[in-house]
Amino acid sequence: MADNILFLFGWLGELIFASWLLSDGAEHLAERWGGRFVGRTLLSIATTLPEIGIVVAAAKDGSYGTAIGSALGSNLFMMTFGLAIMLIIATTRLSKAPQKFIDVREFGLDKIFLVITAVAGAVLFIDGYDITDGIIFTGLFAVYLAFAFREMKKEKKMTPLEKDLHDEAQTQPKKHFARSMILFIAGTVGIFVGAEPFVHALEGVSVDIGVSVVVLAVVVSPIAGEMPEKISMILLARKGANGASIAVANVLGSKILNNTLLLSVAVFAAMSYRGLVAKIPNTTLLENQMILVTVITIVALIPMFKNKLGLKSGIMLLVLYAVGIGMQFVLPNL
């Protein structure tokens, strides 16, 4: 048992370090290209890579509970705890330019799309995920990318922060860009190297302590999988209102990716190892987790539909995260 736990935390540490490399590289690349489009696309995809690595490794071995649990845990973690920490930083002296609240009016369609994809993912899971569902998730992901691109073209002027980042990026030497690319690639490689051993260690600890691997995936996987997103959010939140706004774009974008791209990756990864008829089956525990995370996602979005997020919203999200973790002790017994 002790060996499995050490093995788990060893590979967890490797994934966290790789995630830090990925985050640092992605952050500087985002500064070079700038804009909310980067928050929705480049940063969202980059910060979703750890989950993709874990999901592919789990689907390869037929550990579908780990694959889906990891995706669900990611949404639970960042839509509550992640956003809460970002808000606490952005609205207190921890920020370089503290704000009373973060204006999220410009993310109206993102919020609606997140609700739609969360509900769609839960409904489609009633009879399990198969090739048809994988195609639907891929289509939803393509629609979101098209939406993000259209929004980018509609932005006629850059915000002050984006302009500063863009101007600074243009003066950065090629060595700086090369370093960012090296860190980004190294982090990506490290994530995919550590993902499979991490999944095996997770399953080993699950057997040793008698806790469902689904529950462990929901609770433990986000610690590694969400590390790059967490780091990028903290850095952006400290830059003031516009930085926090880009961080919100990153969170919403990456969670939409989780509900579309990540689930399609799980389906197609299963198919690549099990054939076209491969299907990710529904189980009572996974179904309950899906319902729980969908409800928490929608509840977490309620303050956003008021278009302002402040310190009170951050505290509410922390409480919501505590409820979600507390339910992990209840769901296996239902």
Side-chain angles (χ1 to χ4, degrees):
M1 178 176 174
D3 289 342
N4 279 333
I5 293 177
L6 288 175
F7 194 54
L8 173 65
F9 281 99
W11 283 108
L12 179 63
E14 191 273 348
L15 282 175
I16 290 174
F17 179 68
S19 297
W20 176 79
L21 293 178
L22 178 71
S23 174
D24 193 49
E27 185 73 21
H28 287 95
L29 291 177
E31 288 178 1
R32 184 180 181 88
W33 291 315
R36 294 185 186 88
F37 178 73
V38 171
R40 285 168 169 156
T41 55
L42 175 64
L43 273 180
S44 293
I45 293 173
T47 55
T48 304
L49 282 176
E51 292 103 302
I52 291 176
I54 292 171
V55 164
V56 169
K60 172 185 175 182
D61 294 336
S63 301
Y64 302 132
T66 303
I68 302 301
S70 177
L72 294 176
S74 170
N75 280 7
L76 172 64
F77 186 76
M78 290 307 296
M79 285 303 297
T80 55
F81 187 81
L83 269 178
I85 296 302
M86 186 275 288
L87 288 172
I88 291 171
I89 291 174
T91 57
T92 65
R93 293 182 180 179
L94 293 172
S95 171
K96 295 178 181 178
Q99 306 294 313
K100 289 185 177 180
F101 62 86
I102 306 301
D103 190 339
V104 292
R105 285 176 296 179
E106 59 196 359
F107 300 114
L109 289 180
D110 295 81
K111 292 177 281 190
I112 293 172
F113 207 84
L114 181 53
V115 172
I116 291 172
T117 55
V119 173
V123 171
L124 292 174
F125 194 58
I126 291 175
D127 60 347
Y129 291 148
D130 56 21
I131 184 172
T132 302
D133 301 313
I135 293 172
I136 292 173
F137 292 136
T138 303
L140 288 172
F141 174 61
V143 169
Y144 181 66
L145 283 185
F147 153 72
F149 183 73
R150 188 193 68 178
E151 288 293 299
M152 179 192 68
K153 293 184 68 175
K154 287 174 63 177
E155 292 177 0
K156 295 181 179 180
K157 295 181 180 181
M158 292 185 294
T159 63
L161 173 65
E162 291 169 346
K163 188 174 188 307
D164 291 343
L165 293 175
H166 181 74
D167 292 343
E168 179 185 350
Q170 298 305 309
T171 62
Q172 290 173 346
K174 292 182 178 180
K175 288 183 178 180
H176 182 82
F177 178 71
R179 174 184 174 276
S180 300
M181 284 300 299
I182 291 171
L183 289 176
F184 186 86
I185 293 171
T188 302
V189 172
I191 283 164
F192 282 96
V193 167
E196 188 166 358
F198 174 75
V199 169
H200 290 317
L202 199 65
E203 292 169 346
V205 171
S206 171
V207 172
D208 288 341
I209 65 178
V211 174
S212 169
V213 69
V214 173
V215 172
L216 283 184
V218 170
V219 176
V220 178
S221 292
I223 297 175
E226 293 299 342
M227 191 54 60
E229 187 172 348
K230 201 76 181 66
I231 294 172
S232 65
M233 282 180 64
I234 290 172
L235 294 175
L236 286 167
R238 293 193 71 249
K239 293 178 180 179
N242 290 309
S245 179
I246 297 173
V248 171
N250 181 202
V251 172
L252 293 177
S254 66
K255 296 316 109 186
I256 291 171
L257 261 62
N258 279 5
N259 293 337
T260 56
L261 176 65
L262 194 60
L263 291 179
S264 69
V265 165
V267 174
F268 292 126
M271 288 170 51
S272 68
Y273 290 100
R274 310 288 173 177
L276 292 177
V277 295
K279 185 173 185 177
I280 298 178
N282 186 353
T283 66
T284 301
L285 180 56
L286 273 177
E287 183 175 330
N288 289 337
Q289 291 281 9
M290 186 74 73
I291 294 171
L292 171 67
V293 173
T294 301
V295 170
I296 285 181
T297 297
I298 293 173
V299 173
L301 281 169
I302 291 176
M304 286 196 186
F305 282 104
K306 296 180 181 179
N307 295 326
K308 293 182 180 181
L309 293 176
L311 185 58
K312 289 183 179 179
S313 300
I315 295 172
M316 183 272 284
L317 291 173
L318 282 178
V319 172
L320 198 58
Y321 176 67
V323 170
I325 294 300
M327 287 298 295
Q328 301 309 312
F329 297 96
V330 178
L331 293 181
N333 298 319
L334 294 180

